[in-house]
Amino acid sequence: MPINAAPTRFREGIRQLKKDPALLVSVIAIWVLLVLFILFPLARMLLLAFVEDGQYSFAGALEIIAGRSQLLALRNSILLGTLVGICGTALGFFFAFTAVRANLPRFWVRLLDASIILPLISPPFTTAIAMIFSFGPRGLITHELLGIRQFNVYGLHSTLFAETITFFPIAYLTLKSILAGIDPNVEDMAFSLGSSRMRVFRSVTVPLTVPGLANSFLLLFAASLADFATPLILAGNSFPVLPTEAYLQITGLFDLKGGAVLSFVLLVPALAVFLLQRYWVARKYYVTITGRAGAQTMIKSVSAGLRPVLLCICLLVSVLIIYFYVLLFYASIVQAFGANHELTWRHYRIVFTEGLEAIKDTLIIASSGMVIGGVYGVVIGYLVGKKRFPSRKAMEMVSLLSYSLPGTIVGIAYLISFNDRPFMIAGTALIIIACYVMRYGATGIRTTVALLQQIDPGIEEASLSLGAGSVTTFRRVTIPLVLPALFTGLGVVFIRSMTAISATIFLVSIDWLLITVRILEKMTELELGAAAAFSMLVVGIVLVVTTAISMILNLLRQPGAPKMASALGG
């Protein structure tokens, strides 16, 4: 690379900003948000972690990190995150490939969508609780059906399984959009040259999904690193992880400094995976949506004999997931699961009396976060994926940073940063909405970037050459093509706004109380039936909203945009 290449690119980026006022305003506005709601809280947390008596000191932090238990927790966190990333991405790709490339009837695709989305539309600890009900010491399957008395449900194996089931729908949502955007003609050309289905799959289909695979691994790895609820319930003392250690450090020992130090350690593996993903994906070319007219061909990726095999495997996983939620519903309509199985609606009466205020607050915050987060994800994804300007790479990195942090630390960072003037918003809905948008908008950003890599730049260039401005081109050309990413962002932000707990627990107040906090309260009070009823309510609300999003998407989808069967990117 020439020595003056970087200054030349910088000057070209400055010229682009001067020529395009809309781009300049967008970049400035996004950076204001990123600095205020991501960098500023993290800086305040750094001061808490590494400043003692007004002086910078790393001695205390190093002493905490160098502890044997902390090093073991760090190793376990990286191991668990890597395994969840691999297993979740593989399972998500398997489901997405079956749904998109196997020519399944619409009924089966909708059934798969409905079943695998359940883990995402419920609180993150729901799967862990269902596993204990099923496989614990008095579990329905291990104890009641199989008669196993000493089965150990705690440890790496159960935590990995629960997190994989909980997070693999994220990979499914991302990869289904990518696979739906691959023109069947691309594969058909390989078939016409005599390639077998396996060779086409290996040499054409998989390489074209590399952006989605890398993005899915990144998102699942980060989600595992940030999850403290599942390891808290299932990992046990034999498999400590850093998010749990940090959470217990803060809530149990009231050691904010120790919790902050342990949480910042998690940034190192998350950043390493992010940089590796960018390097890997940037080396290849993935355009499949060209905008050029041509005859469409039937998808031939899967043979007639293999189709029922793929469907059966997907259905087995789906049945297991559905079983968990049927068990949860049953627990919500009996007096006391495992002790008194008399049917009752008492738990739902509690939900719609004591919990009515929390339901209203949650819907207001989730709806606001959904709209803002969806637009936020597409705008940043479009800027970093299609535009060239100084700080573009830094913008992408910073926008994903909040998602990589454990939610407990994000919540504490927000509480510390926005509890004093001039940003006194603690205790309001605004601080919770800002937290949700900045954390969960990452899914929309990564999906938008991955999808834009498939769109030929010539489509936008044709619009610009005909006299349309950048805003008009974005509104009338780009937005219709990236509707899958927009609705992925809308759906995921709404889901996480309805189900998040790790950051929320530090940001709620007497004026704004959320359903997930009420669920946690009921669990600590051992009112498991009421907790199950609240969880089923969350599932029902999210199903209704995401179905509505899917219907709107089908009405708004423009010719040339990738076809989707789900509002959540599927």
Side-chain angles (χ1 to χ4, degrees):
M1 178 183 297
I3 297 177
N4 61 347
T8 300
R9 287 198 302 270
F10 180 81
R11 288 193 295 267
E12 178 61 26
I14 293 295
R15 282 196 294 269
Q16 290 293 329
L17 290 175
K18 291 180 178 179
K19 288 169 54 180
D20 193 343
L23 176 61
L24 177 61
V25 172
S26 299
V27 170
I28 293 175
I30 292 298
W31 267 118
V32 169
L33 293 175
L34 295 179
V35 170
L36 179 60
F37 291 111
I38 295 181
L39 295 181
F40 173 65
L42 294 184
R44 292 293 299 268
M45 285 296 298
L46 278 172
L47 291 177
L48 177 63
F50 300 111
V51 173
E52 297 180 1
D53 300 325
Q55 300 290 328
Y56 288 102
S57 173
F58 296 94
L62 290 175
E63 183 178 351
I64 295 173
I65 297 172
R68 184 176 180 277
S69 60
Q70 279 70 34
L71 291 176
L72 177 62
L74 174 60
R75 188 203 68 179
N76 291 343
S77 296
I78 295 174
L79 174 62
L80 179 62
T82 302
L83 292 176
V84 170
I86 294 173
C87 297
T89 299
L91 188 58
F93 178 82
F94 187 89
F95 268 77
F97 182 80
T98 302
V100 175
R101 315 305 285 181
N103 293 313
L104 295 178
R106 184 174 298 181
F107 168 78
W108 292 113
V109 176
R110 288 180 175 176
L111 180 62
L112 293 181
D113 287 344
S115 62
I116 71 165
I117 208 64
L118 286 173
L120 273 183
I121 62 177
S122 55
F125 40 74
T126 301
T127 303
I129 297 299
M131 286 190 64
I132 292 178
F133 283 161
S134 299
F135 306 108
R138 302 284 298 181
L140 178 64
I141 294 178
T142 53
H143 185 271
E144 299 295 334
L145 297 181
L146 301 180
I148 301 176
R149 299 291 184 267
Q150 302 296 328
F151 186 81
N152 181 18
V153 72
Y154 304 101
L156 172 61
H157 61 288
S158 59
T159 307
L160 171 61
F161 179 82
E163 288 195 351
T164 298
I165 294 297
T166 299
F167 297 131
F168 93 89
I170 297 176
Y172 172 77
L173 298 177
T174 301
L175 293 168
K176 194 175 179 186
S177 294
I178 302 301
L179 285 168
I182 297 177
D183 190 341
N185 288 313
V186 177
E187 297 173 331
D188 197 48
M189 286 186 288
F191 286 125
S192 66
L193 294 174
S195 294
S196 64
R197 284 187 171 88
M198 180 56 68
R199 185 171 182 181
V200 171
F201 174 79
R202 187 178 65 250
S203 60
V204 177
T205 307
V206 172
L208 287 175
T209 59
V210 164
L213 291 170
N215 293 335
S216 298
F217 178 84
L218 171 66
L219 290 171
L220 267 62
F221 184 88
S224 177
L225 287 180
D227 183 23
F228 84 91
T230 302
L232 186 67
I233 296 172
L234 290 177
N237 296 328
S238 61
F239 194 80
V241 293
L242 272 182
T244 303
E245 293 295 306
Y247 172 74
L248 295 177
Q249 195 86 7
I250 294 168
T251 60
L253 301 177
F254 302 101
D255 182 5
L256 294 179
K257 178 182 177 65
V261 170
L262 294 181
S263 297
F264 273 108
V265 172
L266 294 175
L267 283 176
V268 178
L271 183 59
V273 170
F274 171 67
L275 294 176
L276 177 62
Q277 178 264 351
R278 282 185 55 84
Y279 170 76
W280 180 27
V281 174
R283 296 173 59 192
K284 297 184 180 291
Y285 186 69
Y286 302 99
V287 171
T288 61
I289 302 174
T290 65
R292 301 183 180 95
Q296 292 295 310
T297 183
M298 180 180 177
I299 297 175
K300 304 173 184 176
S301 303
V302 178
S303 65
L306 183 60
R307 187 180 303 120
V309 176
L310 298 179
L311 180 59
C312 285
I313 295 174
C314 290
L315 288 178
L316 285 175
V317 177
S318 298
V319 167
L320 176 63
I321 295 173
I322 292 172
Y323 154 76
F324 282 151
Y325 287 86
V326 170
L327 185 65
L328 188 68
F329 173 72
Y330 180 71
S332 73
I333 60 172
V334 296
Q335 291 286 353
F337 183 82
N340 184 352
H341 290 257
E342 181 183 352
L343 296 180
T344 179
W345 294 107
R346 177 174 61 89
H347 304 308
Y348 286 96
R349 284 196 293 270
I350 294 175
V351 167
F352 291 106
T353 53
E354 297 178 16
L356 193 59
E357 193 69 21
I359 295 172
K360 182 192 71 174
D361 292 346
T362 302
L363 288 175
I364 292 174
I365 290 175
S367 300
S368 302
M370 174 183 67
V371 176
I372 299 171
V375 175
Y376 165 84
V378 168
V379 169
I380 294 186
Y382 175 75
L383 290 177
V384 302
K386 280 292 184 182
K387 297 298 182 179
R388 297 294 178 266
F389 56 90
S391 76
R392 179 176 62 89
K393 293 182 179 180
M395 176 182 288
E396 183 178 13
M397 185 179 300
V398 173
S399 66
L400 298 175
L401 193 57
S402 184
Y403 187 80
S404 302
L405 284 171
T408 53
I409 302 306
V410 174
I412 292 174
Y414 271 50
L415 191 61
I416 292 172
S417 303
F418 301 118
N419 202 30
D420 296 311
R421 296 182 185 277
F423 307 116
M424 185 67 178
I425 60 173
T428 68
L430 178 60
I431 191 173
I432 303 176
I433 293 172
C435 177
Y436 287 159
V437 170
M438 293 297 157
R439 277 179 61 75
Y440 304 120
T443 301
I445 295 171
R446 298 311 305 159
T447 305
T448 301
V449 171
L451 196 56
L452 286 173
Q453 287 176 311
Q454 294 183 311
I455 300 175
D456 193 328
I459 300 177
E460 292 176 319
E461 292 170 0
S463 175
L464 294 171
S465 67
L466 293 174
S470 59
V471 175
T472 302
T473 299
F474 177 75
R475 179 172 56 86
R476 301 189 64 179
V477 177
T478 308
I479 284 293
L481 290 174
V482 298
L483 273 180
L486 172 62
F487 279 82
T488 295
L490 289 175
V492 171
V493 173
F494 183 82
I495 288 170
R496 304 314 294 169
S497 298
M498 290 291 300
T499 61
I501 183 62
S502 56
T504 304
I505 195 68
F506 299 101
L507 302 180
V508 294
S509 64
I510 58 174
D511 297 321
W512 294 94
L513 185 61
L514 304 183
I515 295 178
T516 50
V517 177
R518 293 306 305 268
I519 294 175
L520 190 61
E521 289 176 355
K522 294 301 181 182
M523 290 178 62
T524 56
E525 295 167 1
L526 298 181
E527 296 185 31
L528 300 183
F534 271 113
S535 298
M536 296 309 301
L537 175 67
V538 171
V539 172
I541 291 174
V542 175
L543 278 177
V544 170
V545 172
T546 53
T547 300
I549 293 175
S550 180
M551 294 173 63
I552 295 172
L553 174 59
N554 289 332
L555 292 175
L556 296 180
R557 188 175 63 86
Q558 299 293 322
K563 187 176 181 180
M564 292 167 44
S566 168
L568 298 178

